[in-house]
């Protein structure tokens, strides 16, 4: 018997096996997705305000002093700022919220910079804030920059924390949207989110050894926002949109704004290339960046004292805010 017919038969058998495997995996995936379907409820007692077309979750700390609005980054929520907000609350009015697409804010796209900026400006309206200091962490840096550029008269100060505000800084559109298709992407996401080891691993890699160890409540705080209604669809839409950011030329316009500015980074932040803090400070016309020793990317959690000190220093030079 010739080798060619044998090779063809072997290929046909291999094709049958692969096809059968795909069918089995698809059936298992659909079954798993069905069993695990059904969103989680947000925690009780959350506060929401209307910001344009969204119901935005907001947390409030403190009742006197300058106003500060804390803007979280990707995969974060207002709770990411709790330790910083508590330290500031004695002599500041502190507002943290969930950026559209994350946390417990209503999931309604588009999940782009324009929508996130309108949400932030809408929040200032809803809370009656005049010229607060805006602090943006990671991709939240782009949101505060764009808000300041659109409405400079409404901003009293600007801090970029662990973020350069550029669309290219932490990565553009993710290829995951092409590599993983339904129903497998839903299965993989739910397996990852449901794994304590995965949640702890991502948290530890971004936060470092100084961060509090995640107990069951801590894991739930990071996990639950990925399980609320609309969260999975929003995540895939955001992977298609890419990281929030502004063009380099637009970022440079911040240097013209007559408000106090600051750039703060963890010394061991590996999300951005070396030299990013210095280059970012130069672009926006800020003083030399403040570098937090031994800190990684999640400085609001790992180093709340240092972050709060930097915010306090910035509010000291900011114009007074109205009631």
């Amino acid at each position: 018997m010739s080798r060619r017919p044998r090779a063809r038969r072997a290929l046909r058998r291999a094709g049958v096996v692969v096809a059968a495997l795909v069918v089995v995996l698809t059936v298992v995936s659909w079954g798993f997705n069905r069993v695990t379907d059904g969103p989680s409820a947000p925690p009780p007692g959350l506060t929401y305000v209307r910001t344009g077309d969204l119901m935005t979750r907001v947390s409030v700390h403190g009742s006197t002093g300058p106003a500060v609005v804390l803007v979280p980054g990707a995969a974060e929520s207002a709770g990411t700022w709790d330790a910083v907000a508590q330290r500031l609350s004695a002599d500041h009015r502190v507002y943290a919220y969930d950026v559209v697409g994350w946390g417990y804010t209503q999931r309604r796209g588009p999940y782009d910079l324009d929508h996130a900026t309108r949400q932030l400006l809408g929040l200032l309206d809803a809370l009656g804030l005049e010229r607060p200091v805006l602090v943006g962490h990671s991709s939240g840096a782009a949101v505060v920059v764009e808000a300041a550029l659109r409405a400079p008269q409404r901003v009293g100060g600007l801090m970029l924390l662990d973020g350069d505000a550029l669309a290219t800084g932490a990565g553009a559109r993710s290829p995951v949207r092409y590599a993983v298709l339904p129903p497998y992407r839903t299965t993989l996401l739910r397996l990852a989110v449901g794994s304590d080891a995965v949640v702890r691993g991502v948290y530890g890699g971004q936060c470092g050894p100084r961060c509090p160890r995640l107990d069951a409540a801590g894991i739930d705080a990071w996990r639950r926002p990925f399980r609320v209604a609309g969260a999975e669809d929003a995540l895939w839409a955001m992977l298609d949109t890419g990281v929030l950011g502004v063009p380099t030329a637009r970022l440079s316009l911040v240097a013209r704004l007559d408000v106090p500015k600051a750039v703060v980074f963890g010394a061991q932040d590996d999300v951005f290339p070396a030299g990013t803090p210095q280059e970012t400070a130069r672009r926006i016309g800020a003083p030399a960046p403040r570098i937090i020793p031994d800190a990684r990317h999640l400085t609001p959690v790992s180093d709340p004292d240092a972050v709060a000190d930097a915010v306090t220093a910035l509010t000291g030079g900011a114009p007074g805010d109205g009631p």
Side-chain angles (χ1 to χ4, degrees), residues 4 42 58 76 111-112 117 123 128 140-141 156 158 160 166 180 191 243 246 250 252 262 270 295:
R4 184 168 298 176
V58 61
E76 300 171 9
Y111 303 102
D112 57 15
T117 302
L123 184 73
L158 205 58
L160 278 57
L166 295 175
V180 185
L191 287 171
V243 175
V246 299
R250 185 157 179 77
S252 298
D270 60 2

Side-chain angles (χ1 to χ4, degrees), residues 9 44 85 89 106 140 145 159 171 176 198 204 216 224-225 237 258 260 283 303:
R9 281 198 294 271
S89 61
Q106 180 183 12
V145 160
M159 178 182 289
V176 173
V198 170
R224 193 184 299 200
D258 187 21
R283 282 195 177 112
D303 294 85

Side-chain angles (χ1 to χ4, degrees), residues 3-298:
R3 294 181 180 177
R4 184 168 298 176
R6 289 179 182 174
R8 288 174 180 168
R9 281 198 294 271
L11 287 173
R12 283 197 294 268
R13 291 192 190 108
V16 170
V17 171
V18 170
L21 183 60
V22 169
V23 170
V24 170
L25 289 175
T26 301
V27 170
V28 170
S29 180
W30 278 113
F32 175 83
N33 295 348
R34 180 160 189 151
V35 169
T36 58
D37 215 2
S40 298
L46 299 183
T47 300
Y48 292 83
V49 296
R50 169 66 66 178
T51 58
D53 62 341
L54 296 169
M55 290 302 296
T56 293
R57 180 261 181 123
V58 61
S59 64
V60 181
H61 307 257
S63 57
T64 61
V68 178
V69 178
L70 305 174
V71 183
E76 300 171 9
S77 70
T80 306
W81 291 103
D82 279 353
V84 173
Q86 289 166 9
R87 286 158 172 79
L88 291 171
S89 61
D91 48 13
H92 293 80
R93 288 170 294 132
V94 185
Y95 307 87
Y97 72 101
D98 294 347
V99 175
V100 60
W102 305 109
Y104 300 107
T105 283
Q106 180 183 12
R107 296 303 202 279
R108 175 178 289 174
Y111 303 102
D112 57 15
L113 183 59
D114 174 67
H115 200 188
T117 302
R118 288 187 283 111
Q119 179 194 21
L120 174 52
L121 294 174
L123 184 73
L124 303 189
D125 290 336
L127 299 175
L129 299 179
E130 298 178 7
R131 306 206 73 187
V133 167
L134 305 182
V135 182
H137 179 251
S138 193
S139 62
V143 181
V144 302
V145 160
E146 185 62 23
L149 290 172
R150 292 190 187 187
Q153 74 283 0
R154 305 188 63 186
V155 176
L158 205 58
M159 178 182 289
L160 278 57
L161 176 63
D162 303 317
D164 65 358
L166 295 175
T168 56
R173 301 169 72 184
S174 172
V176 173
R177 69 195 192 284
Y178 297 129
V180 185
L181 301 175
Y184 312 113
R185 68 183 188 185
T186 299
T187 302
L188 292 174
L189 174 61
R190 292 180 183 177
L191 287 171
V193 170
S195 168
D196 290 0
V198 170
V199 174
R200 284 198 173 101
V202 174
Y203 170 84
Q206 294 291 295
C207 210
R210 284 207 297 270
C211 286
R213 187 178 185 278
L214 290 184
D215 56 12
I219 289 175
D220 181 68
W222 287 95
R223 170 185 289 153
R224 193 184 299 200
F226 288 91
R227 289 179 163 175
V228 297
E232 292 177 351
D233 288 341
L235 177 61
W236 299 118
M238 287 185 287
L239 285 172
D240 189 58
T241 301
V243 175
L244 301 182
V246 299
T248 304
R250 185 157 179 77
L251 179 62
S252 298
L253 297 177
V254 176
R256 303 178 186 176
L257 301 182
D258 187 21
V259 297
K261 304 158 199 161
V263 173
V264 181
F265 267 77
Q268 305 302 320
D269 189 333
D270 60 2
V271 174
F272 296 91
T276 294
Q278 293 76 15
E279 183 62 19
T280 302
R282 184 193 64 77
R283 282 195 177 112
I284 70 170
R290 178 167 182 166
I291 306 299
I292 302 175
D294 302 320
R296 297 187 190 174
H297 187 63
L298 207 54

